[in-house]
Amino acid sequence: MHSTTFKPPIPYYYYNHAPSLKFHSIFLHNNNPRLIRPHLIFPPIHLTISSSTTTSAALNGSSLHPKTPAVKPIDVATLGNLCVDIVLSVPQLPPPDADRRKAYMDRLSASPPDKKYWEAGGNCNVTIAAARLGLQCTAIGHVGNEVYGKFLLDVLRNEGIGMVGMNEDNEDESLSASSYETLLCWVLVDQLQRHGFCSRADFSKEPAFSWLSRLSVPVKAAIKQSKILFCNGYGFDELSPAVIASAVKYAVEVGTSVFFDPGPRGKSLSAGTPEEQGALNLLLRMSDVLLLTSDEAESLTRIRNPILAGQELLKQGVQTKWVIVKMGPKGSILITKSGISCAPAFKVKVMDTVGCGDSFVAAIAYGFIHDMPMVNTLAIANAVGAATAMGCGAGRNVATLDKVIELVEASNLNEDEKFWNEVFDETLGVQEITALSKLAINGSDGQLNCVPLQKVVLELLPKLKSAELERRVPC
């Protein structure tokens, strides 16, 4: 065998709902082992962008939003973490030993499995769930010039999601062709429905796309024209801490809200290289919205109570407005400096939890953009996450709008009074606690403000049905 190097593709970018999009194949019928520069997949959109650099005010938390903010046509842009999931049933999960796991993955990779096992993964889950709620979405990341890259782009295009490619017009002879290929994640499910995950990023000390060293003009344009830039911990598997930090600083500078979900990588990043720790600290301080599980919040703060952990993250933050703690089947909590909102989860038959957290993020973005009451935002996020859990897998299998509407209309909450009482026992210092309840009558009892589920349902359904109608109307 011999390694082949080639120049990475020139940037590709498209935006959904453009009137004259013409799809071009990214595959070149060329026997030369070095790929020539492909045509643009979609014609570029001409955007203007400021050349100013990040100011000291951005890092010190001063007001960064312009007095007359420009219209931002993109609701949510995601940074990196674009991959193709290959979901396979296996007799047993791969062994824990790294060398044996690598050999196991290499055997799987030797011949591509049937396309029916492929699915869009990573941040595609966020953009697909958000687009189905009616948000305008763009994925920022790298995909390669091979069959998996074309598949991923086709899925995004069919869901009405834009794409901005992260590429550099340079050539590094020391890198093999695989360095530019679309990242694959093998999702392995054993006979007990346990999941195992592995990708080439697991077996390298460097990010998968370590050759990316800067933000291109199209990437900056996409960030500037987005209301929200979403980052998660898995982005560090693909992009260098410096590139991620640059994107966050630029988003803050141009008035784009940053959402960050550290995920399981938060723990390893907090004990990682100085560069990883620095980028993680920047994200925790400068994000407008932090989203974590209760375990992740505890690992970052060493505080077990999710509300107290959230309050500590708020205290340490500069830009932070919301800290949201995902409590799985119990529900979710939204913590601000002035109060707390909580909402029990919806009762559903869980088939697969893959993609639930990503779907939840999409709905939080929906509530944030539409300036919805916080308890309403949690309710719709719980519904979207639960709707995803009722299906199998992520990608195109995440929650559909009609399934979300069905769950909201059914209004079947998993209320656990004992659990919530234990959570609130240690939070006597807060100004107000707003709780969603199916049984409660609207009103306050001391610090506790109960909001009836039926009131929230009556407010949510018109918005959801309007979004459903808009998606069904041909463009």
Side-chain angles (χ1 to χ4, degrees), residues 398-419:
V398 300
T400 57
L401 195 49
D402 58 348
K403 180 60 69 176
V404 173
I405 291 172
E406 182 182 321
L407 277 180
V408 172
E409 287 180 328
S411 302
N412 193 8
L413 287 185
N414 181 31
E415 296 195 73
D416 186 337
E417 187 175 344
K418 180 181 178 183
F419 167 78

Side-chain angles (χ1 to χ4, degrees), residues 93-126:
L93 296 180
D97 176 75
D99 291 337
R100 293 171 63 196
R101 285 175 65 87
K102 178 67 164 57
Y104 187 103
M105 189 184 73
D106 288 343
R107 288 196 298 273
L108 292 173
S109 305
S111 56
D114 192 285
K115 202 169 182 178
K116 67 182 179 182
Y117 300 114
W118 303 6
E119 193 47 78
N123 274 340
C124 296
N125 302 332
V126 176

Side-chain angles (χ1 to χ4, degrees), residues 39-67:
H39 294 293
L40 288 175
I41 296 173
F42 285 89
I45 186 169
H46 297 287
L47 303 172
T48 58
I49 188 165
S50 169
S51 60
S52 60
T53 56
T54 304
T55 63
S56 59
L59 298 179
N60 294 326
S62 302
S63 177
L64 298 166
H65 296 265
K67 293 181 179 178

Side-chain angles (χ1 to χ4, degrees), residues 266-459:
K267 187 174 183 179
S268 60
L269 290 170
S270 63
T273 65
E275 293 78 16
E276 288 175 334
Q277 292 181 36
L280 174 65
N281 184 53
L282 180 74
L283 278 158
L284 292 174
R285 291 173 57 243
M286 303 309 294
S287 293
D288 296 78
V289 178
L290 296 175
L291 303 107
L292 319 89
T293 66
S294 55
D295 289 341
E296 292 159 4
E298 181 179 356
S299 72
L300 290 173
T301 62
R302 299 182 181 178
I303 298 173
R304 186 171 185 179
N305 183 288
I307 294 177
L308 296 178
Q311 289 173 330
E312 179 62 25
L313 289 167
L314 274 173
K315 189 187 303 180
Q316 298 299 323
V318 175
Q319 294 279 105
T320 317
K321 300 173 180 65
W322 292 359
V323 175
I324 296 170
V325 183
K326 299 171 283 184
M327 308 294 293
K330 298 297 185 182
S332 54
I333 305 169
L334 194 161
I335 304 129
T336 70
K337 291 180 180 178
S338 60
I340 295 166
S341 298
C342 63
F346 288 86
K347 285 184 181 179
V348 296
K349 182 178 180 180
V350 176
M351 297 293 293
D352 190 350
T353 59
V354 174
C356 292
D358 297 324
S359 303
F360 181 94
V361 169
I364 293 293
Y366 179 88
F368 185 87
I369 287 170
H370 288 94
D371 199 24
M372 291 168 53
M374 286 179 283
V375 73
N376 293 34
T377 298
L378 291 180
I380 190 173
N382 289 348
V384 174
T388 293
M390 296 172 70
C392 293
R396 292 165 295 177
N397 299 309
V398 300
T400 57
L401 195 49
D402 58 348
K403 180 60 69 176
V404 173
I405 291 172
E406 182 182 321
L407 277 180
V408 172
E409 287 180 328
S411 302
N412 193 8
L413 287 185
N414 181 31
E415 296 195 73
D416 186 337
E417 187 175 344
K418 180 181 178 183
F419 167 78
W420 290 108
N421 284 338
E422 290 175 353
V423 170
F424 293 141
D425 272 349
E426 300 178 69
T427 58
L428 300 178
V430 301
Q431 294 182 12
E432 183 180 74
I433 299 171
T434 302
L436 180 68
S437 174
K438 187 174 182 178
L439 304 175
I441 298 173
N442 193 40
S444 298
D445 179 13
Q447 290 180 320
L448 183 63
N449 177 36
C450 292
V451 178
L453 175 62
Q454 192 56 38
K455 175 179 182 293
V456 173
V457 168
L458 291 174
E459 292 170 352

Side-chain angles (χ1 to χ4, degrees), residues 241-262:
V243 169
I244 293 172
S246 294
V248 173
K249 291 175 183 177
Y250 186 73
V252 173
E253 179 186 345
V254 297
T256 295
S257 298
V258 178
F259 278 40
F260 178 51
D261 186 339

